[in-house]
Amino acid sequence: MSLPKGLAEEVSKNLVMVARLIDEDPEQAYAYSRIALRLASRVAAVREAAGFAAYATQKYSEALAEFRAAKRMTGSVELWPVMADCERGLGRPERALAMAGEPEVQKLDKAGQVEMRLVAAGARRDQGQLEAAIVTLQSPELASSAVQPWTARLRYAYADALLAAGREDEAREWFGKALEADKEGATDASDRLAELDGVEFVDAAIDLSDDDEVGNDDLAEDDRDEDIEDEDDEDIEDEDDEDIEDEDPAEVAAAERATDVTEYYDEDDEEYESLEQSAADADVRGDKA
């Protein structure tokens, strides 16, 4: 509201693009945030958006500066946990732990306090203090059976810390609890559980392509077999044709007559005549003709 209408619309369009792209394309979101920052650097919402865009691209020093500016403009402490996490990103976990003990934490709402606990536990792990990280995460929020927006992430962080400390059975239990609370799929708790159970995921596309290759090989082999059989049949037919061409026509005619007689040979038939009689009658019939 502090900007002229035309400028306000231009700035707001860039902030909308930051929000749309920050998860899928952080670099592009960062580019839009820089445009908004150039147009309205004295607006707290712009500084906050620029801070989150820089944070998403791991520009922690720049993000921390923008968050501090937004905090000065608004007087709000809601950015305190992410500011502490920027200190972790800059390799200063001790500063993050110091911020976790500041009075600002008491001014945070429940979600902010849980977020601060997550950051503090992460700082403990950065320092190699796994057991201290586990203790840091043990809280009424972790023990509660009620599911809140932060529940899945809190349980997941606790399970991950347990696993890092070698407490595999407990880690499996808490990954399961994190999965129960993770309705939005914010964590990869299901994958972590599968890894603990020794389940290996295989790319189905690769398997299908391999099966296709095997199937194609089988089909090709069948085709080759059919071609060979066809060639053999053609060779046999050619040989039969050659044998027929080499035979004497007189012998062929005699063989056909013998076949005809054999096919109709039946001694029980009243019309049966012996081969010799039939031949004689044929001669007589031929003379008459």
Side-chain angles (χ1 to χ4, degrees):
M1 298 299 293
S2 62
L3 299 175
K5 183 177 180 181
L7 181 59
E9 289 181 354
E10 186 65 25
V11 172
S12 65
K13 289 178 181 179
N14 283 279
L15 294 184
V16 167
M17 294 307 297
V18 172
R20 287 182 177 178
L21 296 171
I22 196 165
D23 291 328
E24 61 186 51
D25 192 350
E27 291 293 342
Q28 192 64 30
Y30 175 77
Y32 279 108
S33 75
R34 301 309 295 177
I35 296 174
L37 190 61
R38 186 174 67 250
L39 295 173
S41 61
R42 295 185 179 181
V43 176
V46 171
R47 303 302 289 266
E48 182 177 336
F52 277 111
Y55 179 82
T57 55
Q58 299 183 1
K59 298 177 175 64
Y60 297 116
S61 180
E62 186 176 326
L64 184 57
E66 298 300 339
F67 289 142
R68 284 172 174 169
K71 179 177 177 296
R72 286 196 303 270
M73 292 177 180
T74 62
S76 172
V77 297
E78 65 179 4
L79 294 173
W80 196 254
V82 71
M83 291 169 62
D85 206 39
C86 286
E87 295 287 2
R88 284 187 60 211
L90 291 170
R92 302 190 294 237
E94 67 284 352
R95 292 193 183 182
L97 288 172
M99 291 179 68
E102 294 292 332
E104 282 82 354
V105 177
Q106 304 303 319
K107 300 176 184 179
L108 294 170
D109 59 11
K110 182 62 68 176
Q113 291 179 3
V114 171
E115 195 66 34
M116 191 70 241
R117 191 177 293 276
L118 289 169
V119 173
R124 292 292 186 188
R125 292 189 62 173
D126 292 342
Q127 294 179 326
Q129 302 172 4
L130 289 176
E131 292 300 329
I134 292 171
V135 172
T136 300
L137 293 170
Q138 292 172 347
S139 61
E141 293 80 15
L142 180 67
S144 175
S145 60
V147 176
Q148 302 293 340
W150 62 78
T151 302
R153 293 179 58 241
L154 182 60
R155 292 177 180 178
Y156 182 91
Y158 188 61
D160 193 47
L162 289 169
L163 186 61
R167 296 158 64 175
E168 186 173 310
D169 292 339
E170 295 175 80
R172 180 182 286 102
E173 177 187 353
W174 281 97
F175 276 129
K177 291 182 178 181
L179 182 60
E180 291 175 1
D182 193 4
K183 305 302 182 183
E184 303 297 328
T187 70
D188 63 344
S190 60
D191 293 341
R192 301 297 297 276
L193 275 172
E195 290 176 4
L196 287 173
D197 293 334
V199 177
E200 295 183 2
F201 294 96
V202 180
D203 191 340
I206 294 176
D207 283 353
L208 289 174
S209 64
D210 291 343
D211 292 341
D212 290 342
E213 291 177 2
V214 173
N216 291 335
D217 291 342
D218 292 340
L219 291 174
E221 185 174 352
D222 292 341
D223 292 340
R224 287 195 296 273
D225 293 341
E226 291 176 0
D227 292 341
I228 293 172
E229 291 176 0
D230 292 341
E231 291 176 0
D232 292 341
D233 293 340
E234 291 175 0
D235 292 342
I236 293 172
E237 292 175 0
D238 293 341
E239 291 175 359
D240 292 342
D241 293 341
E242 292 175 0
D243 293 340
I244 292 172
E245 292 175 358
D246 293 341
E247 291 179 351
D248 186 351
E251 294 179 358
V252 172
E256 290 177 350
R257 287 197 300 273
T259 302
D260 293 339
V261 172
T262 303
E263 289 176 352
Y264 294 98
Y265 179 83
D266 187 352
E267 294 181 352
D268 296 331
D269 192 342
E270 295 177 355
E271 297 179 358
Y272 166 74
E273 297 180 8
S274 65
L275 177 60
E276 291 152 356
Q277 181 65 33
S278 298
D281 291 344
D283 291 341
V284 172
R285 288 193 297 271
D287 293 341
K288 288 182 180 179

